[in-house]
Amino acid sequence: MIDIDKKIKDIKNTKENQANENNQELDFKKFYEVEKLDNAFHNPRKIIQKNQSKGKYSFIDLTSFALRGKDLENINFNILLDDFLDEGSISFITSEANKGKTFLSFAICKKLLETNKIRKIIYFDSDNSKMTIKSRIKQTMKIEDFYFLDYPDFNYIQTSNALEIDNQELEIDFNLITNNYLELLVKEQKLDKTFIVFDSLFNFFNGDMNDNKKVAEFMKTIKRISHKGGVTFLFIHHKGKSAESEFMGGVNFLNATDNLFKIHTSNNDGDNLNLTIITKKARNFLPYNLNVSIDLKTLDLQIERAMKENDTDLLLKAKEIIERKGEVLQSDLLELLGKSKTDNRTLKKLENGKGIHYNIIEKQRETGGKPFKYYMSLKESKTIINGVEVEAEQTLFSE
């Protein structure tokens, strides 16, 4: 076995002596040769030259940090809730007000604790008062023999009230949460398998949510904590004011998040909360529309796919055809799927893939009359508002 450490040390000493004698910069050519040998033995190494006078690194060989097969050996894809949450992901739940977002997030927390899928939950709530929480979290909501709020691994933190520490009041904002708490726990490796909820995002974001630069900085912090600490994040967020806005804020929220769920319909009869959820984005699993049922006495949660497996297969086949062609007329798509051009049942099923697998747009005929429907790949860089193709900049996520 080649002793890589010894080879690098010998070359480094030789080159440093030469550089000192000739008053020259250190030559890294030999290091590259050893690096190739080093990588062959799957032993990546940081080749760094430090400028002693300035105390800075004058050269860092970034290729030595390249991922190798051995770096992925212990990486596992863990599903926390089927078709809904995966470990280490960043997810958003969005809807209009009073659709049941908070009840859903509570029920998710309870389910994760009951199934031992996570180690700890930290729930930051800036929306609800103690009176509201008391009216929602009833004594009948339990995990094992514990009242939900008293379960040791569920930590509910109401951030609308200031912290009193050493006779000082501190506002619990995003900077305090990250700089004085989460970042420090990441360094101590104490956040592994932790589930963190922000309810709601609007109250934790400093500045203009439509400023994509600020959004990118915010999400960069969240992604760093998630990736380094093994944390799963869930953000509760509000829908934008305009009809076409999925949620308030800049498009970088969508770019940086892994999963985006939109509560489409909500029915609360006092005993059960029934939701239909549209999966707008899923990075690591196939997106399905979901039917969700929550027992309002116990917070018991049930999630199931809104469509049968055959219907899902139909949408995926349609998606493949549409992506191959880029854009296809509705009648032509039905024919390619082996269906009749007047098959209304299939058309209703295809509507369920809108915005998830493809876009559906209408184009007016030159001669007038009923417009043509086209199915278009999501990869196409066109703007669709309310099902109509328009000449406009990206406005879907503007407030």
Side-chain angles (χ1 to χ4, degrees), residues 47-52 54-60:
I47 302 177
I48 298 173
Q49 165 69 6
K50 189 170 184 178
N51 187 324
Q52 299 292 341
K54 296 182 180 179
K56 296 181 180 179
Y57 296 111
S58 58
F59 177 84
I60 301 176

Side-chain angles (χ1 to χ4, degrees), residues 111-169:
K111 187 75 169 181
L112 294 178
L113 290 170
E114 287 177 331
T115 54
N116 294 315
K117 291 296 182 70
I118 48 86
R119 182 177 59 84
K120 179 171 64 174
I121 288 177
I122 306 171
Y123 196 114
F124 297 106
D125 186 350
S126 62
D127 263 358
N128 303 294
S129 66
K130 289 182 179 179
M131 183 63 70
T132 302
I133 294 302
K134 185 174 182 179
S135 68
R136 291 181 174 179
I137 304 182
K138 302 177 177 63
Q139 292 291 332
T140 53
M141 299 174 178
K142 292 184 177 182
I143 302 176
E144 299 174 357
D145 293 327
F146 291 92
Y147 172 49
F148 185 44
L149 284 178
D150 294 334
Y151 192 74
D153 295 326
F154 180 68
N155 304 278
Y156 179 85
I157 302 169
Q158 190 187 33
T159 63
S160 56
N161 296 323
L163 289 176
E164 293 185 10
I165 301 177
D166 297 330
N167 296 322
Q168 294 185 26
E169 286 193 352

